[in-house]
Amino acid sequence: MTQHSHHDTIPLAAVAPAPEFLDALRGVVGAAHVLTRPRDTERFRMGYRSGGGEAEAVVRPGTLVEMWRVLRLCVEAGRIVIAQAANTGLTEGSTPKGTYGRPVVILNTLRLSRIDPILDGEQVVCHAGATLYGLERLLDPMGRDPHSVIGSSCLGASVVGGVCNNSGGALVRRGPAYTELALFARLEADGTLRLVNNLGLHLGNDPEEILRRLDAGEIGPGDVDTQAGAASDHGYMDRVRDVDADTPGRFNADPGRLHEASGCAGRLAVFAVRLDSFPRPAATEVLYVGTNDAAALATLRRRLLTELDPLPIVGEYIHREAWDMAARFGRDTRLFIEWFGTARMPVMFAVKGWADARLRKLPLGADLSDRVLQFAGHLAPGRLPRRMRDFRDRYEHHLILKVETPADAAERILDETVGPEGWFRCTAAEGSKALLHRFAVAGAAVRFEAMNRRRTGGLVALDVALRRNDRDWIKPVPPDWADKVAATLSYGHFLCHVFHLDYVLKKGADPAAFKKAMLAMLDDEGAEYPAEHNMGHLYHAKPQLAAFYEGLDPLARFNPGIGGTRRS
């Protein structure tokens, strides 16, 4: 694929004085969009689950042209740049961490939310801050779906963030977010800031002209190159069906899924990506499965993946302990989405972040918002459906399947693996509540720890891709640690063999030592991690991935330190 690049050579100057630099930023985006007071920047500097650090400023450009100008100023002034959108990542990958030797500027892109459908909606061009929810809403009247429609879309996560972070999602047929078609800036080893247009769109030659046309949505049919490259992971369905393979089907460092913006983890400044959309199935139904036999569930997975055509749409697993935790500590999240929809979730998280920043210094202030939400959720009406609660009492393992109708083949496989009594066909309301309950698990461990912080020893969250042929899919903690874990939440994308494992430790336990022991065990099992998130500051990149980062950002100026890589 031909690269179309445009550049400015910028001297790598000493760090510019802060007042002049900040005034220059304000001149580009306006004073209201340059935040410098720690109380105002805190929700941008702190990770969703953990982590955080210091930043000189948070800058929120309103156009792609403004983003380019801000980026130039930061490079000229010798700043570290960390780009973020909704800051909903789970591995500390979109916030500062530790020291960098230079001031840090957080480039928040959420105002850059434009999405343009092209090729009659079969593809879309998403700007840096476009959200999965916004994309889902745009495609809905066309009868099409985005890459992901559950989980992170409810949190307001960005499309570009998903591409940069190898995000996987719950949809069995789609695989990791991936594209070869992107518009990005990179800083070369000689100090050249280069705008690379690999969108497959003919938009001119000058950087600001390219960005101005995108800001205005000036994309004509003659501008689109239909042979420019892949706009999704076309081979994933074949990989996930290969249930005898001795490797995971998807994981962050998979070299086949690392390409420029895809998997870059912020080591490039990504302005826009071009992605496929997908036709929505005409009719679907949700099947709720329960069993106490882990081997039966493993057999069910193999048969669904090898015998069903088309593949299931969703296959989400919840262990009973995670089910209980979500029922108690994720109830407010589920009810909020039921009552107000996903559109309000980003607002809720923004308000919570604003409140946390102002309450943190008060007694119990660090967890006050969580305590208020927990209390409100406890009082609110809205029990889970009776049949779900009955299955919770009877079964340890729960699987939520969404399939196309007619679903005769899937139902026959269920009868033959877990038995007719081990599943039921959900009503529309039951299916919606079941999937929302699964989504609520993700924040339940965080809430549990917040409510019990004085009695617990920290949270260790892993997301792990098991080998596709691994029938022994339950991974207990090492024996030496069994009595040091207060709660274990196991849940995930069962058909893809991707699991989220959240461990709340007892008081006095060492989270770093526990994590090291768990990862060593998983290494022995042939697993890969993280499975679908940025390496962030919680994992160390393997040599091939570290070399990919280094090649994208040789001067270590864009989100350095990710995956344990160098910061200078």
Side-chain angles (χ1 to χ4, degrees):
M1 182 169 55
T2 302
Q3 285 197 354
H4 304 282
S5 60
H6 318 272
H7 63 272
D8 293 304
T9 300
I10 296 174
L12 297 180
V15 174
E20 291 86 342
F21 171 64
L22 295 174
D23 284 343
L25 293 177
R26 294 182 184 106
V28 172
V29 301
H33 299 297
V34 179
L35 310 179
T36 57
R37 294 189 303 176
R39 189 172 65 176
D40 295 333
T41 63
E42 181 169 340
R43 69 184 179 92
F44 302 94
R45 295 185 289 106
M46 306 304 291
Y48 170 62
R49 272 188 174 171
S50 63
E54 300 303 315
E56 179 182 20
V58 174
V59 185
R60 302 183 296 180
T63 66
L64 297 180
V65 171
E66 288 183 4
M67 179 175 165
W68 171 251
R69 292 174 180 173
V70 166
L71 202 61
R72 290 195 61 206
L73 287 172
C74 289
V75 170
E76 290 170 355
R79 264 51 177 183
I80 297 294
V81 177
I82 298 177
Q84 68 171 208
N87 190 19
T88 56
L90 304 181
T91 58
E92 307 178 3
S94 55
T95 54
K97 182 73 177 280
T99 58
Y100 294 86
R102 289 172 181 263
V104 173
V105 171
I106 295 174
L107 185 62
N108 185 276
T109 63
L110 273 187
R111 296 177 66 211
L112 308 174
S113 59
R114 186 181 183 100
I115 304 172
D116 289 297
I118 59 174
L119 303 176
D120 297 321
E122 292 186 8
Q123 291 187 339
V124 290
V125 177
C126 299
H127 290 201
T131 64
L132 282 167
Y133 170 75
L135 179 56
E136 187 176 352
R137 183 175 56 183
L138 175 79
L139 292 172
D140 184 62
M142 306 179 195
R144 302 186 71 84
D145 285 329
H147 166 267
S148 178
V149 294
I150 187 175
S152 53
S153 59
C154 299
L155 286 174
S158 72
V159 176
V160 167
V163 170
C164 294
N165 296 335
N166 303 97
S167 297
L171 299 180
V172 179
R173 306 173 186 179
R174 309 276 167 87
Y178 176 79
T179 186
E180 296 167 2
L181 308 175
L183 175 69
F184 56 88
R186 61 182 296 164
L187 187 62
E188 307 287 2
D190 64 357
T192 300
L193 184 66
R194 190 182 303 275
L195 184 72
V196 180
N197 178 15
N198 279 346
L199 277 173
L201 301 177
H202 303 296
L203 299 169
N205 296 310
D206 177 71
E208 293 210 0
E209 173 65 11
I210 293 169
L211 298 169
R212 185 202 63 77
R213 287 189 61 186
L214 283 175
D215 281 329
E218 295 179 6
I219 305 172
D223 297 325
V224 181
D225 181 355
T226 59
Q227 304 299 316
S232 63
D233 184 357
H234 295 163
Y236 184 70
M237 280 196 285
D238 291 334
R239 292 204 309 279
V240 77
R241 283 188 186 275
D242 189 0
V243 295
D244 293 315
D246 197 35
T247 57
R250 71 181 200 212
F251 55 96
N252 187 287
D254 183 354
R257 255 45 64 188
L258 300 175
H259 182 88
E260 297 177 344
S262 294
C264 74
R267 304 305 295 266
L268 298 171
V270 181
F271 289 78
V273 294
R274 178 175 156 190
L275 294 168
D276 289 329
S277 69
F278 303 86
R280 183 181 307 138
T284 63
E285 63 182 39
V286 175
L287 309 174
Y288 197 97
V289 183
T291 182
N292 292 314
D293 185 354
L297 217 53
T299 300
L300 172 61
R301 169 182 168 270
R302 293 175 67 88
R303 292 193 60 183
L304 290 172
L305 290 175
T306 57
E307 297 178 28
L308 280 194
D309 189 16
L311 282 172
I313 300 165
V314 168
E316 292 295 289
Y317 169 77
I318 316 177
H319 185 270
R320 178 156 54 194
E321 187 172 1
W323 197 106
D324 290 346
M325 197 70 77
R328 185 176 177 188
F329 295 99
R331 178 185 172 91
D332 59 298
T333 299
R334 174 178 63 84
L335 292 175
F336 186 94
I337 298 172
E338 283 183 17
W339 295 342
F340 303 109
T342 57
R344 302 288 185 182
M345 286 298 288
V347 175
M348 189 194 80
F349 276 90
V351 171
K352 183 179 183 302
W354 178 90
D356 286 343
R358 284 151 178 78
L359 297 172
R360 198 173 302 277
K361 294 182 179 180
L362 300 176
L364 297 178
D367 302 316
L368 186 57
S369 65
D370 282 293
R371 293 181 180 277
V372 170
L373 290 171
Q374 180 66 22
F375 181 71
H378 177 72
L379 293 180
R383 301 182 73 187
L384 287 165
R386 178 185 56 80
R387 289 198 292 181
M388 281 180 62
R389 289 183 277 117
D390 288 345
F391 264 47
R392 179 265 165 222
D393 294 338
R394 291 163 54 191
Y395 298 118
E396 179 181 3
H397 306 292
H398 298 247
L399 181 66
I400 305 163
L401 288 172
K402 187 175 183 181
V403 297
E404 290 191 48
T405 55
D408 297 348
E411 294 176 358
R412 173 179 52 79
I413 294 171
L414 289 173
D415 283 343
E416 294 171 359
T417 52
V418 299
E421 72 289 346
W423 67 276
F424 63 86
R425 187 183 300 108
C426 292
T427 65
E430 286 174 328
S432 175
K433 290 178 187 293
L435 288 168
L436 284 178
H437 185 63
R438 154 63 186 90
F439 163 71
V441 177
V446 177
R447 176 66 58 75
F448 173 80
E449 187 200 19
M451 299 297 292
N452 297 277
R453 199 175 303 280
R454 294 180 179 178
R455 300 191 298 273
T456 59
L459 172 66
V460 175
L462 307 177
D463 74 294
V464 180
L466 303 185
R467 292 176 288 114
R468 282 167 282 175
N469 65 354
D470 193 347
R471 288 179 175 268
D472 187 18
W473 54 274
I474 296 177
K475 305 301 178 185
V477 301
D480 292 348
W481 287 92
D483 63 348
K484 298 180 178 64
V485 177
T488 300
L489 281 69
S490 175
Y491 56 102
H493 317 306
F494 188 69
L495 300 187
C496 301
H497 248 199
V498 168
F499 292 88
H500 298 278
L501 305 172
D502 295 345
Y503 303 95
V504 181
L505 303 183
K506 295 180 179 178
K507 198 73 172 178
D510 182 345
F514 174 76
K515 181 178 178 179
K516 182 177 179 181
M518 284 297 303
L519 295 184
M521 182 192 76
L522 292 167
D523 286 337
D524 291 342
E525 297 276 352
E528 292 280 356
Y529 50 83
E532 58 175 5
H533 295 301
N534 188 321
M535 289 280 165
H537 295 289
L538 299 182
Y539 296 92
H540 281 271
K542 293 182 178 181
Q544 188 170 9
L545 181 58
F548 174 67
Y549 292 158
E550 177 79 12
L552 297 178
D553 181 28
L555 296 177
R557 294 283 293 279
F558 294 168
N559 209 10
I562 288 294
T565 55
R566 66 186 178 89
R567 292 169 176 261
S568 62

